[in-house]
Amino acid sequence: MILFAVWFGIAAYRKYSSGGGYPNISLSAPLPGIPKPVFASVDGHEKYETKITTLENGLKVASQNKFGQFCTVGILVNSGSRHEAKYPSGIAHFLEKLAFSSTAQYGSKDEILLTLEKHGGICDCQTSRDTTMYAVSAEVKGLDTVVSLLSDAVLQPRLLDEEIEMTKMAIRFELEDLNMRPDPEPLLTEMIHAAAYRGNTVGLPRFCPVDNVEKIDKKVLHGYLRNYYCPERMVLAGVGIEHEQLVECARKYLLNVKPVWETPAVTNVDLSVAQYTGGIVRMEKDMSDVSLGPTPIPELTHIMIGLESCSFLEEDFIPFAVLNMMMGGGGSFSAGGPGKGMFTRLYLNVLNRHHWMYNATSYHHSYEDSGLLCIHASADPRQVREMVEIITREFIQMAGNTGEMELERAKTQLKSMLMMNLESRPVIFEDVGRQVLSTGKRKLPHELCDLISKVTASDIKRVTAKMLRSKPAVAALGDLTELPSYEHIQAALSSKDGRLPRMYRLFR
């Protein structure tokens, strides 16, 4: 039988290899006797528009349909560390750690995880300076359970004494880890915000200060939740589900639900607008033993210099995003060629020319009332002064002429990064939730791409000139013996060439 099959296969191959055995039909012509194919089509982009409904209690429900068996659903609250002016700093950090613990309906975190497991689900909570986000990814069939669970986790947490004690331990450990980890970026970001917005709104600590860990208890948490966890400050966002289905679940579980804390007749919400102050935050620290081992990281001093940009609600937000992409940067060791940021200014002008610099990266933080564009750089402590001058010169050169190719590359990179990130369902969920929470609507990716395409070299020059008029914010970490004074950094950013004032020393 096997031999026959082999022989038959060879015979068939010989028959058709000559070409004579195939019917003489053009590849572009439809095959006879086969029904005409029906292709899937989308009527414009309407089927993928974000749908928004506001319930009677003020809660917004936003959804974006996406093909697949799984969905991401969550509640975003207009609450974060910036709202803690009247409370001990660290409440948002506590709430992040306490999320998805025991509730009125579920006896423990394990019960919640087991319930989600039945629907192939996972849960997570993240807080930032202005938003708290509770999210669940699970099968679409489990939507009812997911929304019920989210409502319970957000509005009915038990906040038991033992849970609060465990959270205090977790926070203490995280604060120790923050000071010991080799990557200083989270600590520097905290410091640059404290310098830029001294003692107000987004300048308040995102991580709970050590002194406040013992001050926060159930009473303090309830006092905060009473004012900030109200329906008009929330959005229920979902990706991968039908809008009507999500609205129905929202009405069922979020419309007439009384939270575990008493709802006050008048909420006492902090509506302070971010006040940019500029300034310097220094942290002298021995960085020589941060990363020991077979390939230890050398001792480095980290500097971050920032200037005020704009809020994400302003039109200048897009030119600032293009400028940030144009500056780019990264570490001194980075694999990859074009498209990986190797042609950005901080690579070409800084890392490629100064071998002793270990890092030069641009960051853009933007909020509803202000923003901060900063450059983080790392080098040997003996070369800190030279490193600071290189950064200040880069800031000044931003106001110079921008090449057409350089600008087009930055715009293309920004668009490709935007579109690639929005391939991911959790990222779409966060984008939908944050936009609807802050503006009440959502700009679709193609609208953002159109706005990016319209950015010109004169826009870059204009926003840079506006930015350079603000006082600098400086964060410095490590051995700061060679760090120039704040006044000298400010003078360099006010000069034409970005150079620091010369210092003449009699003895060195």
Side-chain angles (χ1 to χ4, degrees):
M1 283 296 288
I2 295 169
L3 284 170
F4 174 76
V6 172
W7 173 83
F8 181 79
I10 292 168
Y13 173 74
R14 281 177 183 158
K15 180 182 175 186
Y16 290 115
S17 61
S18 62
Y22 288 110
N24 190 18
I25 297 171
S26 166
L27 289 173
S28 58
L31 291 169
I34 290 179
K36 192 177 179 182
V38 178
F39 297 103
S41 64
V42 177
D43 308 327
H45 60 264
E46 288 80 10
K47 289 192 179 179
Y48 289 94
E49 276 185 350
T50 304
K51 294 180 180 177
I52 302 164
T53 302
T54 305
L55 302 187
E56 291 82 350
N57 62 355
L59 180 120
K60 291 185 181 69
V61 182
S63 75
Q64 179 86 22
N65 210 345
K66 191 178 191 295
F67 177 75
Q69 293 183 342
F70 281 77
C71 63
T72 300
V73 182
I75 293 175
L76 289 93
V77 190
N78 185 1
S79 151
S81 59
R82 69 170 293 162
H83 300 107
E84 294 171 0
K86 299 172 186 173
Y87 302 88
S89 288
I91 291 175
H93 195 184
F94 262 77
L95 291 173
E96 179 184 70
K97 298 281 175 242
L98 285 162
F100 296 105
S101 295
S102 65
T103 67
Q105 195 179 331
Y106 300 93
S108 68
K109 190 164 196 164
D110 289 343
E111 267 188 53
I112 288 177
L113 297 175
L114 282 168
T115 305
L116 286 174
E117 213 172 87
K118 290 172 189 171
H119 301 285
I122 53 168
C123 61
D124 186 31
C125 176
Q126 291 177 9
T127 57
S128 62
R129 294 178 191 280
D130 54 0
T131 312
T132 301
M133 184 171 69
Y134 298 80
V136 173
S137 284
E139 277 185 312
V140 177
K141 289 181 284 187
L143 180 66
D144 193 270
T145 307
V146 165
V147 177
S148 164
L149 191 151
L150 280 164
S151 168
D152 224 41
V154 175
L155 299 172
Q156 307 279 332
R158 285 188 187 170
L159 305 178
L160 301 173
D161 290 343
E162 55 264 34
E163 289 171 347
I164 292 173
E165 284 307 313
M166 286 295 287
T167 299
K168 286 178 180 179
M169 282 173 62
I171 286 173
R172 282 195 196 97
F173 175 79
E174 195 174 328
L175 293 173
E176 279 180 35
D177 180 59
L178 191 69
N179 286 309
M180 287 163 63
R181 64 170 67 176
D183 174 26
E185 203 264 319
L187 191 57
L188 277 168
T189 302
E190 188 82 346
M191 290 165 68
I192 196 85
H193 278 83
Y197 304 92
R198 193 170 290 276
N200 76 87
T201 58
V202 292
L204 297 172
R206 184 176 156 327
F207 299 104
C208 180
V210 180
D211 299 341
N212 285 2
V213 174
E214 287 304 322
K215 292 178 186 174
I216 296 172
D217 55 19
K218 188 173 180 174
K219 188 181 175 184
V220 173
L221 293 170
H222 273 190
Y224 179 85
L225 292 165
R226 195 174 290 127
N227 287 309
Y228 289 95
Y229 276 45
C230 33
E232 61 272 17
R233 296 179 67 84
M234 293 182 186
V235 169
L236 174 67
V239 175
I241 29 93
E242 295 292 336
H243 186 69
E244 291 71 25
Q245 205 181 346
L246 188 62
V247 171
E248 190 184 321
C249 289
R251 287 187 184 282
K252 189 175 173 183
Y253 297 112
L254 289 160
L255 189 55
N256 296 310
V257 179
K258 283 190 176 180
V260 74
W261 50 88
E262 292 172 15
T263 309
V266 181
T267 54
N268 184 11
V269 174
D270 180 16
L271 299 173
S272 306
V273 176
Q275 301 295 318
Y276 182 87
T277 59
I280 184 166
V281 172
R282 302 159 52 103
M283 189 185 284
E284 288 270 0
K285 191 177 173 193
D286 180 13
M287 306 285 279
S288 58
D289 57 352
V290 165
S291 178
L292 302 172
T295 53
I297 294 174
E299 183 183 355
L300 299 173
T301 294
H302 303 273
I303 306 292
M304 201 179 259
I305 298 177
L307 294 165
E308 188 180 19
S309 58
C310 72
S311 102
F312 55 66
L313 299 175
E314 295 177 50
E315 287 183 5
D316 284 346
F317 173 66
I318 300 291
F320 269 116
V322 174
L323 175 63
N324 179 52
M325 191 57 74
M326 197 163 74
M327 297 310 294
S332 58
F333 174 81
S334 180
K340 296 288 184 185
M342 305 294 270
F343 285 94
T344 56
R345 283 193 183 183
L346 292 178
Y347 262 111
L348 293 176
N349 302 348
V350 178
L351 294 167
N352 286 358
R353 293 184 186 179
H354 308 283
H355 66 90
W356 45 268
M357 281 190 71
Y358 278 79
N359 181 34
T361 315
S362 176
Y363 295 97
H364 188 213
H365 305 280
S366 200
Y367 305 97
E368 63 183 3
D369 45 13
S370 186
L372 188 65
L373 186 99
C374 40
I375 294 175
H376 167 209
S378 313
D380 185 279
R382 290 165 295 184
Q383 289 167 304
V384 168
R385 185 179 174 83
E386 199 177 341
M387 173 173 70
V388 168
E389 187 169 88
I390 287 164
I391 300 173
T392 55
R393 277 162 57 189
E394 282 304 313
F395 270 115
I396 296 298
Q397 282 167 20
M398 287 181 198
N401 293 326
T402 305
E404 190 182 338
M405 188 184 286
E406 180 185 34
L407 180 63
E408 285 306 312
R409 184 186 284 124
K411 283 155 66 173
T412 306
Q413 266 189 295
L414 183 59
K415 284 188 275 189
S416 70
M417 190 181 80
L418 173 74
M419 299 310 284
M420 282 195 294
N421 284 338
L422 289 171
E423 290 279 307
S424 162
R425 192 180 62 249
V427 175
I428 300 171
F429 157 76
E430 191 173 342
D431 183 51
V432 169
R434 282 181 181 276
Q435 285 203 49
V436 173
L437 191 65
S438 56
T439 65
K441 57 183 189 291
R442 183 189 179 219
K443 276 183 181 160
L444 292 169
H446 72 268
E447 294 176 75
L448 292 169
C449 286
D450 289 345
L451 290 170
I452 293 166
S453 298
K454 289 175 184 171
V455 174
T456 62
S458 61
D459 289 328
I460 300 294
K461 203 167 187 174
R462 176 175 54 78
V463 297
T464 304
K466 174 185 162 189
M467 179 177 72
L468 286 167
R469 287 197 289 271
S470 65
K471 283 175 70 178
V474 182
L477 177 68
D479 179 351
L480 309 179
T481 314
E482 294 294 316
L483 179 71
S485 68
Y486 178 77
E487 290 71 27
H488 279 191
I489 295 170
Q490 196 172 358
L493 288 166
S494 305
S495 66
K496 287 184 178 178
D497 57 3
R499 291 185 181 277
L500 289 163
R502 296 300 98 193
M503 283 179 70
Y504 300 100
R505 295 183 186 174
L506 210 53
F507 302 103
R508 205 169 164 79

